[in-house]
Amino acid sequence: MLQTIRRTHRCGELRPDHVGQRVLIQGWAQSTRAMGGLSFLLIRDRSGVVQAVCDERSPTEALAESEKVHLEYTVEIEGVVAMRAAPNPKIPTGLVEVVAERITILTRTPPLPFNLDGHTTVNEDLRLQYRYLDLRRPELQANLVARHRASLAVRRYMDSEGFVEVETPILTKATPEGARDYLVPSRVHKGEWYALPQSPQLFKQILMVAGMDRYFQIVKCFRDEDLRADRQPEFTQIDIEMSFVRRENVMELATNVVRLLWKEIGGHEVGEIPVMSYTEAMDRFGVDAPDLRFGLELKTLNETVSETTLPILRSGMDSGGLVRGFCISGQGEKITRKVLDAWTLFVKRYGLGGLLYAKVGEPWTGPLSKLEAPIQAKLAEIFGAKAGDVILVGVGPNSNVNAGMGRLRAAAAKELGLVEAGFRFVWVVDFPGFEWDADNSRWAAVHHPFTSPKPECIGWLGTEKTGDILADAYDIVCNGYEIGGGSIRIHDPEVQSQIFATLGLSAEEAEKKFGFLLGALRHGAPPHGGLAFGFDRMIMLLCGTDNIREVIAFPKTTSAQDLMSGAPSEVDPKQLAELAVANVLPAAPAGTNAQE
């Protein structure tokens, strides 16, 4: 490896084979210990740590300098490698140490805002504010190395399959694709705006029209949407597009990418990945990205409880509501009233009025204990419930019940330790093509407007069967996370125009917003399809964390702030004037001082 400045070895490289060699190491002081005539320094760089010692073998100047070293000082140490009298089996270099002959302090640091040992719980905002310190921790450095190795593996594999990596524009045209765009004003064309791409969707389709045949890109994308632990305003995709393919071809290639990364980065073998329809996923799990590592499958109970007089169920069903629930076996003692109250608040976040439950026994306890005895018996039979089990039920509008109970299923399994170790994958296919937007009284695309309906459904466009159209789309899910999704695209300009009309776009609006795509499709577009992997989410799973910020070097908070750099921030009014834009801030509430 190329040496840096005068460094002869990296800290983590030293082994008994180096005993007797004169070395020069450079790094940060991870720990220091001075005991009067004897000093120990644990020196760290990205490769690992090694102990340096100052004792009777060291010059007095080195010992004096060692006592000036404090935590996270940057130091240079020259000396001879020797065997340790007391080996440390916890570190790879634990058999050896560097007997220091010269110690130079390269830079100093003030007292640290938090401990970098990785064992102390630190507020995440504080970690993000001092990200340059946080990133010194071996755990985060290992995550970034895993990310690096994954990107190299993807590029090697895609090249071997005949794909070409093509960069697409970052400054592009604003197009409605579901989430809000980040907008950039043009200085040259005042009053006009660029958008940062939510994905390279239109450009990769145009590359297929251009005859590139097989395209991929590890690309940065941007969406101005509400954030959570597995989402960022700027994120990275493995973007893939292929010509002359069917759904199965894209899914096969994507499965191979998953197998490659899980083997090379995680050391896991991924076998056959099952395929499940959207309808089955919603029926069994309430969500279209199901976690298959545990049971707790949902059951629809409208027929079972149809004769009940229990008011909350009766009123819910009489207003057209859905009744769904699941049973947790043998956990009755763990599921206390405090836990049930917390779960009730949880499902209310998804629009449910509350959570109905029963602890099965002699007698039942909880709100469902007021069900008529024959209905209790039917519920017990459906769930195979026995004493010590807990039945949880939600009632309300279909989407609210599925979301609330489906998400509660996953949260409860995690909280109770019911989740199996390892990874479980599933392909979800045959999604609805359109959903009715009641607020705007029109159809909306479930994926995006460039997704092709399944071939047998294309003739239903513009008819009363629009709501029955299935999209030729597919998502790959791992442990309840959607890690990739794609579709076969529309290559026929007439079908694309029909889709725009179904979404309520006039021919003029479609040309204004998507004219360059329609123009490309009119010039000999091949059948094509593709997929985009959420690269950050994949690395998150492979690194064993549920927080995407742990695998991104400089992430944003859940309020889309960069606490280290202070972004977003105010800019000089002169810059705004040059761009012909102005800040328009919300008016201060009545009765307040606007200058406070």
Side-chain angles (χ1 to χ4, degrees), residues 416-485:
L416 296 171
L418 304 179
V419 180
E420 295 177 0
F423 299 98
R424 290 289 299 276
F425 296 87
V426 62
W427 279 104
V428 180
V429 300
D430 294 346
F431 287 83
F434 302 94
E435 58 187 357
W436 183 251
D437 181 352
D439 292 337
N440 296 298
S441 297
R442 63 178 180 84
W443 290 105
V446 171
H447 279 71
H448 54 61
F450 320 109
T451 298
S452 176
K454 296 194 74 175
E456 62 269 25
C457 299
I458 289 177
W460 300 351
L461 286 166
T463 73
E464 67 279 0
K465 298 188 71 173
T466 297
D468 297 325
I469 290 174
L470 297 180
D472 209 352
Y474 33 83
D475 286 354
I476 185 168
V477 177
C478 177
N479 293 359
Y481 291 97
E482 179 198 328
I483 61 170

Side-chain angles (χ1 to χ4, degrees), residues 161-176:
E161 291 292 324
F163 284 79
V164 178
E165 185 164 15
V166 181
E167 294 181 358
T168 52
I170 293 298
L171 294 176
T172 184
K173 181 181 178 68
T175 57

Side-chain angles (χ1 to χ4, degrees), residues 146-344:
R147 187 183 179 108
H148 160 72
R149 290 174 53 214
S151 65
L152 287 181
V154 167
R155 286 189 163 99
R156 285 195 299 266
Y157 175 73
M158 298 304 286
D159 180 65
S160 73
E161 291 292 324
F163 284 79
V164 178
E165 185 164 15
V166 181
E167 294 181 358
T168 52
I170 293 298
L171 294 176
T172 184
K173 181 181 178 68
T175 57
E177 292 184 32
R180 287 180 293 272
D181 289 321
Y182 279 101
L183 300 175
V184 179
S186 169
R187 177 185 61 82
V188 177
H189 303 281
K190 298 190 187 306
E192 297 182 351
W193 299 75
Y194 300 104
L196 303 183
Q198 296 183 34
S199 81
Q201 181 62 49
L202 302 184
F203 290 100
K204 64 185 179 182
Q205 288 191 246
I206 288 173
L207 285 170
M208 296 303 101
V209 179
M212 284 306 299
D213 190 67
R214 292 190 166 198
Y215 142 94
F216 88 102
Q217 187 180 185
I218 299 179
V219 60
K220 189 73 77 175
C221 303
F222 308 84
R223 290 180 187 170
D224 185 6
E225 58 187 350
D226 295 333
L227 305 182
R228 58 190 185 211
D230 66 334
R231 183 181 287 170
Q232 283 278 291
E234 50 180 322
F235 56 95
T236 304
Q237 288 185 178
I238 305 173
D239 206 47
I240 299 169
E241 199 77 7
M242 308 162 66
S243 292
F244 307 109
V245 290
R246 295 189 299 271
R247 179 178 80 183
E248 291 71 22
N249 304 123
V250 182
M251 291 169 62
E252 180 183 6
L253 178 103
T255 297
N256 289 340
V257 171
V258 166
R259 288 178 177 145
L260 170 76
L261 291 183
W262 259 254
K263 177 65 174 176
E264 288 207 12
I265 310 304
H268 302 280
E269 296 284 353
V270 176
E272 290 299 314
I273 298 178
V275 178
M276 180 184 299
S277 72
Y278 169 88
T279 300
E280 181 184 352
M282 296 300 293
D283 185 57
R284 293 173 59 189
F285 307 105
V287 294
D288 60 8
D291 193 334
L292 305 186
R293 294 175 296 168
F294 50 91
L296 310 186
E297 294 190 15
L298 301 186
K299 304 286 187 182
T300 299
L301 305 170
N302 288 64
E303 184 176 343
T304 306
V305 300
S306 61
E307 301 301 321
T308 187
T309 59
L310 188 63
I312 189 167
L313 285 176
R314 186 76 271 146
S315 62
M317 289 188 292
D318 289 345
S319 59
L322 181 67
V323 183
R324 304 204 75 194
F326 60 91
C327 179
I328 304 177
S329 298
Q331 301 288 322
E333 291 187 6
K334 289 185 180 180
I335 303 174
T336 63
R337 179 58 186 268
K338 182 178 179 180
V339 170
L340 290 163
D341 287 345
W343 289 354
T344 299

Side-chain angles (χ1 to χ4, degrees), residues 45 80 102 108 121 147 164 266 289 301 326 354 361 368 448 511 565:
D45 63 16
V80 176
R102 178 179 62 82
R108 293 169 168 79
T121 301
R147 187 183 179 108
V164 178
L301 305 170
F326 60 91
L368 292 178
H448 54 61
E511 280 294 336
S565 69

Side-chain angles (χ1 to χ4, degrees), residues 112-133:
L112 300 176
F114 54 86
N115 197 320
L116 305 186
D117 61 8
H119 304 298
T120 307
T121 301
V122 182
N123 176 274
E124 188 182 39
D125 283 356
L126 187 64
R127 288 175 50 205
L128 293 178
Q129 181 182 351
Y130 293 93
R131 190 63 165 181
Y132 42 82
L133 294 178

